[in-house]
């Protein structure tokens, strides 16, 4: 706002009239107010299709410290909680080969799934209850169903210490 008049004069434009200055000040004050309100009222995340909040909160720290095989849509939430993920919505950063193998594995291709669980040392999985991988993991030897709700199912290697 301080530079508006000199810039307008330099560019050969008519300077703002008093009513224009008042309108600009009102808009700026409104923007500052909206930003202030947004910062003062935190976002409260609840369980949803891409936010397995309750499921994640129930996972013991020693399990979270092991590699996870996660549902693609859960990646962003898990990252926001400091979890290292198998994949997330930025599939282009993983490369076509890796992303392609992931999507083939979770179609599900049980042989590819078993290969990935072993190759990457996966300690736990988190998928929606309707996802085919969640159903496969229910029957997989060496795995225990730790948690389930309408948004997420967590399976943990039986060798991991779970309280």
């Amino acid at each position: 706002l301080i530079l508006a008049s000199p810039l307008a004069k330099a560019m050969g434009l008519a300077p703002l009239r008093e009513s224009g200055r008042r309108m600009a000040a009102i808009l700026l004050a409104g923007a500052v107010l909206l930003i202030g309100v947004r910062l003062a009222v935190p976002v409260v995340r609840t369980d949803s299709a891409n936010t397995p909040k309750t499921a994640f909160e129930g996972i013991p720290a020693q399990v979270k410290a092991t590699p996870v095989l996660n549902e693609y849509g859960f990646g962003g939430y898990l990252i926001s909680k400091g979890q290292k993920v198998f994949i997330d919505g930025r599939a282009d950063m993983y490369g076509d080969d890796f992303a392609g193998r992931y999507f083939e594995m979770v179609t599900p291709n049980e042989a590819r799934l078993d290969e990935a669980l072993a190759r990457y040392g996966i300690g736990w999985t988190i998928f929606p209850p309707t996802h085919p991988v969640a159903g496969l993991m229910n029957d997989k030897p060496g795995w225990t169903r730790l948690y389930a709700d309408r948004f997420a199912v967590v399976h943990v290697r039986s060798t991991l210490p779970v309280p």
Side-chain angles (χ1 to χ4, degrees):
L1 288 176
I2 295 170
L3 297 175
S5 290
L7 285 175
K9 190 175 183 179
M11 294 189 301
L13 301 173
L16 287 175
R17 287 183 265 138
E18 189 60 36
S19 63
R21 288 187 183 148
R22 261 189 247 125
M23 182 58 75
I26 291 170
L27 289 174
L28 180 63
V32 168
L33 178 66
L34 286 174
I35 291 170
V37 168
R38 173 61 195 92
L39 291 174
V41 179
V43 173
V44 178
R45 290 191 174 197
T46 59
D47 285 314
S48 70
N50 289 324
T51 307
K53 182 179 187 268
T54 306
F56 185 72
E57 288 173 351
I59 300 169
Q62 64 269 27
V63 173
K64 289 179 184 175
T66 65
V68 62
L69 176 62
N70 60 283
E71 203 280 326
Y72 182 82
F74 288 169
Y77 175 75
L78 296 175
I79 289 171
S80 77
K81 294 300 183 184
Q83 181 66 46
K84 292 180 182 177
V85 297
F86 192 83
I87 196 165
D88 63 76
R90 305 166 299 166
D92 57 322
M93 296 181 66
Y94 294 91
D96 291 341
D97 290 341
F98 183 86
R101 283 193 310 272
Y102 171 81
F103 289 114
E104 179 184 351
M105 170 182 50
V106 299
T107 54
N109 178 324
E110 192 165 5
R112 292 266 189 197
L113 177 62
D114 290 341
E115 176 188 320
L117 293 172
R119 178 179 181 186
Y120 298 105
I122 302 297
W124 61 288
T125 66
I126 184 166
F127 285 89
T130 57
H131 198 287
V133 171
L136 277 178
M137 296 304 294
N138 283 332
D139 301 323
K140 194 160 287 302
W143 289 85
T144 303
R145 186 173 174 163
L146 177 69
Y147 179 86
D149 65 21
R150 68 185 189 130
F151 297 106
V153 177
V154 177
H155 290 89
V156 178
R157 271 197 196 277
S158 300
T159 55
L160 290 175
V162 178

